[in-house]
Amino acid sequence: MRRVERALISLTDKSGCEEFAKALAAMGIEILSTGGTAQKLRAGGLTVTDVSAFTGFPEMLDGRVKTLHPLVHGGILHQRHNPEHREQCRQHGIKPIDIVAVNLYAFARTVASSDCTLADAIENIDIGGPTLLRASAKNFKDVTVIVDPADYPQVLAELQAKGNTTLATRFGLACKVFELTAAYDGAIAGWLRTVDPATNAYFTGAEHA
C-alpha cells in the first residue's frame, strides 16, 4: 500500500478543515488548496500550495476556472498500478493527488432566498467541485474522496495507522460522492425548470416550490 503524498482541499463548508489539514501536514502530506480555503488554512499556520502554483495556470473567469487542469485531474485519475499511466505522468510532470476533500457551492441555499435571480443561481452552479469529486470517486482504488467533515476522523485514523486508507473506506466514500452529485444535479434541474430564462427576474420562495 503506497503512502499518501498530496491532498487537495477546497471547501464551502470549512468546519474542521484546519484540524484535518494540520493532521495531514503532520504526516508529511502536501496540501493544495484554492481561494478562501487556502486563506483559512494559512491563517491557521499551515503551509499551503495554491492550485494555481501547482498547475502554473491562474484562476480565471471570475473563479469559474480553478481546478480544471490536466495536472490536477491527471494527478487524481491516473491508475497507480498501471505502468503506462505512470510513464505518461512522468513525461508530463503529473504528480499524484491522493486525497480530495471538496464540498459544493450552496445552490439550494442560494435559490431559497426570496431575492435570488437566475444570474445568482447560475453562478452558484458548481462545475469544478463535482468534476473533482466524480474523478476522485471513479478512481477510488487509489484516491480517498471526502465530501462530509464527519468522515475526517476515520480517514485520519487510517492514515496514521497505515499511511493510507483502506479500499473499503475509499469505496464507501466514493458512493457518498455519487449520492451527493446526483442530488445536487437534481436540485439544479428541478429549480431551473421553474424559471423563464427570458425574464432574468427575481423569484419568490413560492415560485421556487
Side-chain angles (χ1 to χ4, degrees):
M1 180 184 292
R2 61 181 299 277
R3 296 186 69 83
V4 167
E5 299 178 38
R6 192 168 290 103
L8 193 161
I9 305 175
S10 184
L11 301 163
T12 300
D13 177 2
K14 298 177 177 59
S15 56
C17 71
E18 290 177 77
E19 294 79 7
F20 178 64
K22 286 177 180 178
L24 295 180
M27 289 182 270
I29 297 169
E30 180 183 2
I31 308 297
L32 311 179
S33 193
T34 63
T37 305
Q39 292 175 12
K40 184 174 179 64
L41 296 180
R42 287 196 180 99
L46 283 152
T47 299
V48 177
T49 301
D50 288 315
V51 167
S52 57
F54 183 72
T55 63
F57 204 83
E59 295 184 16
M60 61 188 300
L61 305 180
D62 297 319
R64 285 186 167 202
V65 177
K66 298 177 185 176
T67 57
L68 300 171
H69 194 283
L71 290 180
V72 172
H73 289 280
I76 293 169
L77 280 164
H78 76 275
Q79 296 171 314
R80 278 54 164 178
H81 66 277
N82 185 324
E84 292 183 3
H85 284 200
R86 293 199 305 269
E87 175 59 19
Q88 289 175 51
C89 287
R90 186 195 65 78
Q91 291 175 359
H92 296 285
I94 295 172
K95 300 176 182 178
I97 297 173
D98 307 301
I99 295 175
V100 173
V102 167
N103 41 54
L104 305 178
Y105 293 173
F107 179 84
R109 187 172 66 199
T110 298
V111 298
S113 172
S114 61
D115 61 355
C116 177
T117 66
L118 177 57
D120 294 332
I122 293 298
E123 290 310 310
N124 279 276
I125 296 175
D126 202 327
I127 302 300
T131 305
L132 288 170
L133 292 177
R134 290 175 63 85
S136 304
K138 176 174 180 172
N139 203 25
F140 67 86
K141 288 187 176 180
D142 294 306
V143 178
T144 302
V145 59
I146 309 165
V147 295
D148 183 352
D151 292 315
Y152 292 160
Q154 180 180 357
V155 168
L156 289 175
E158 293 183 11
L159 290 172
Q160 289 162 349
K162 297 184 177 181
N164 208 330
T165 55
T166 65
L167 178 61
T169 292
R170 294 194 297 275
F171 183 73
L173 294 173
C175 290
K176 288 183 76 168
V177 163
F178 291 116
E179 290 166 354
L180 173 67
T181 57
Y184 190 77
D185 286 341
I188 293 169
W191 187 84
L192 289 177
R193 288 188 180 279
T194 71
V195 176
D196 178 357
T199 64
N200 195 28
Y202 287 86
F203 302 97
T204 68
E207 288 171 321
H208 290 158

